[in-house]
Amino acid sequence: MTDITKKSLTQIVKAIKNKEVSSTEVTSAFIKNIEKSKKLNAFITTCLDQALKKAKEFDKKQKLNLLLPGIPIAVKDLFCTKGVKTTAGSKMLENFIPTYESTITENLWSEGAFLLGKLNCDEYAMGSSNETSFYGNVVNPIEDKYVPGGSSGGSASALAADLTPTTIGTDTGGSIRQPASFTGTVGLKPTYGLCSRWGIVAFASSLDQAGPMTKTVEDCALMLESMAAFDKKDSTSIKKNKENYSKNLKDGIKGLKIGIPKEYRVENMPKEIDNLWENGKKILKDAGAKIIDISLSHTKYALPTYYIVAPAEASSNLARYDGVKYGYRSTKGSNLIEMYENTRSEGFGDEVKRRILIGTYVLSSGYYDAYYLKAQKVRKLIKEDFDRSFKDVDAILTPSTPSAAFKIGEKKDDPISMYLNDIFTVPANLAGIPAISVPSGRDKKGFPLGLQLIGKTLDEQKLLNIALAIEKRSVFKQSLKKWWEN
Ligand code: GLN
């Protein structure tokens, strides 16, 4: 058989079900790639022996009627994994070994998958380039010296480099879609509440959502089907029947109405992004969809709103890291207060501290009304823009990011230009609606670019179908020289 690690998840599942390949063979092939990929720094922790053991156990029992039979999967290091170190990319959790499993990973394991390792990410998922990780930056397999995007940068890099057949990330403001766009992979942020947040290290709880990152749209449907389920342990989990996203996936989009929001044509947008968008419109039109111009008039407030709401919630969520209950504890200080202070100043990195400072500021009495409360009101207006538009259109098409992957270090010391990266992705988080990034073209350097489709609440199936139509008709094809292998 040709290199199994280059195949899509769906193809690997099929090959295992047809007994053309064993789980042990698949797992060994991915392990081989992982061992040669140190330069990418995609992993924080690997569980290679344990994975091989699980693969052998699977091959003995051969429970082939599951969705992910014998599939090894590496996951973002934000998902708590029982008995396996979970760091959230932070020094604060350098020695944290959870005693419980996140619901999402548990769901994957009960479909026959098992853990391959924990993937690098921005510290507490705060970042757009995977440069805020305590464990070092991740490199984009597309070319060295370039970021893979963030915060699920390790996930995107590992997937594109064939180190895992599929992966999962979290998306608070774009952390699945932006790295997917930067690495030529597919990334879906589901409707808020579709995938349980239980056991995921919290960043901004009203925005955080787990989702799949995959090589193809078909794989994305299969992964979502495996992950999404009501969870009584998450009070914001949506009670609904399970859906058969992969079986119902079809490339028939005739008659669907696709909205093009004029506010997403931002100032100084590179020509290649504009071309990508135009091409996306053409593809959908040729596939039988109707293109309609729409207006989402509060779009320009989305980024500032996000950068108030997210840090406010982060400052509250991160209050628990005080050196008392778990995580890092400083040995300096002569009393309890000093121990708290030293723990937090030594345990958190600069970006996390920046967010905590902004968050506590916008929540403090005297500023609460001016910032936090106002941001919540604007958030509602942004949601209403979408609600109004979805009366006229089935989905909205935009670019995923305002540029392709940028150089390591290029934006690191300029938070504003880093935050601007999220301009097209944060609105869907604020509105709680699903959005997917599909690789659809390249910039002039040949770097991947993604198109984003935004949908109505719980309309994931339609989004996947439209994404499939784009995938089938766009010229993008992933082909990487494995320069990182030793
Ligand atoms: N880049 C955004 C931020 O730094 C989004 C991060 C995310 O989605 N986790 O907040």
Side-chain angles (χ1 to χ4, degrees), residues 345-363:
S345 67
E346 290 163 24
F348 291 137
D350 288 349
E351 184 59 31
V352 174
K353 285 181 195 159
R354 183 181 291 125
R355 306 276 177 123
I356 294 175
L357 287 172
I358 297 172
T360 43
Y361 178 81
V362 299
L363 288 176

Side-chain angles (χ1 to χ4, degrees), residues 28 30-38 48-49 163 486:
S28 308
F30 280 104
I31 290 177
K32 222 189 229 162
N33 286 359
I34 292 169
E35 282 169 341
K36 288 187 282 188
S37 71
K38 301 272 180 312
L48 309 184
D49 294 342
L163 311 183
N486 319 316

Side-chain angles (χ1 to χ4, degrees), residues 76 125-128 150-151 170-175 203 306-307 355 422:
K76 184 177 187 177
M126 298 174 192
S128 307
S151 63
T170 59
D171 191 311
T172 304
S175 278
F203 164 11
Y306 172 84
Y307 276 98
R355 306 276 177 123
D422 309 328

Side-chain angles (χ1 to χ4, degrees), residues 77-133:
D77 205 15
L78 210 67
F79 293 86
C80 285
T81 40
K82 191 175 175 180
V84 178
K85 195 169 77 168
T86 299
T87 69
S90 182
K91 175 179 178 177
M92 193 60 100
L93 294 175
E94 199 177 1
N95 297 310
F96 174 55
I97 300 180
T99 52
Y100 48 86
E101 188 75 28
S102 81
T103 298
I104 288 297
T105 45
E106 188 65 56
N107 291 350
L108 298 180
W109 312 154
S110 58
E111 288 296 347
F114 47 83
L115 185 65
L116 199 48
K118 305 296 293 289
L119 297 164
N120 207 340
C121 58
D122 278 300
E123 187 177 5
Y124 286 98
M126 298 174 192
S128 307
S129 62
N130 217 127
E131 292 172 289
T132 72
S133 169

Side-chain angles (χ1 to χ4, degrees), residues 275-315:
N275 291 345
L276 172 89
W277 202 6
E278 284 305 317
N279 194 40
K281 279 196 240 178
K282 191 175 169 307
I283 285 177
L284 292 177
K285 214 166 155 185
D286 291 349
K290 211 171 152 215
I291 304 296
I292 297 174
D293 288 326
I294 59 165
S295 169
L296 297 165
S297 55
H298 296 90
T299 300
K300 67 170 181 284
Y301 303 114
L303 202 62
T305 301
Y306 172 84
Y307 276 98
I308 289 173
V309 174
E313 294 185 17
S315 72

Side-chain angles (χ1 to χ4, degrees), residues 173-330:
S175 278
I176 287 176
R177 291 161 286 159
Q178 186 252 21
S181 175
F182 279 13
T183 53
T185 55
V186 178
L188 169 72
K189 181 203 89 73
T191 300
Y192 182 79
L194 184 61
C195 289
S196 170
R197 287 182 297 112
W198 196 83
I200 301 174
V201 177
F203 164 11
S205 303
S206 78
L207 301 159
D208 296 346
Q209 187 58 201
M213 298 173 78
T214 54
K215 289 182 180 172
T216 68
V217 173
E218 196 181 17
D219 289 0
C220 192
L222 179 62
M223 280 296 281
L224 185 65
E225 198 170 314
S226 313
M227 297 164 70
F230 169 70
D231 180 13
K232 62 176 185 313
K233 288 191 280 193
D234 173 358
S235 61
T236 57
S237 177
I238 298 174
K239 223 174 204 158
K240 68 183 283 296
N241 292 337
K242 265 194 97 75
E243 284 194 51
N244 238 325
Y245 299 108
S246 56
K247 205 171 115 223
N248 295 331
L249 188 67
K250 60 169 195 305
D251 161 27
I253 61 161
K254 233 191 174 101
L256 289 189
K257 292 186 219 126
I258 309 292
I260 307 294
K262 63 170 190 271
E263 292 80 5
Y264 280 59
R265 184 154 281 112
V266 293
E267 232 176 279
N268 298 329
M269 191 153 90
K271 187 83 190 109
E272 50 215 19
I273 300 290
D274 215 25
N275 291 345
L276 172 89
W277 202 6
E278 284 305 317
N279 194 40
K281 279 196 240 178
K282 191 175 169 307
I283 285 177
L284 292 177
K285 214 166 155 185
D286 291 349
K290 211 171 152 215
I291 304 296
I292 297 174
D293 288 326
I294 59 165
S295 169
L296 297 165
S297 55
H298 296 90
T299 300
K300 67 170 181 284
Y301 303 114
L303 202 62
T305 301
Y306 172 84
Y307 276 98
I308 289 173
V309 174
E313 294 185 17
S315 72
S316 160
N317 271 327
L318 270 57
R320 71 189 72 171
Y321 302 102
D322 56 8
V324 176
K325 296 179 264 325
Y326 57 96
Y328 177 77
R329 177 187 292 185
S330 172

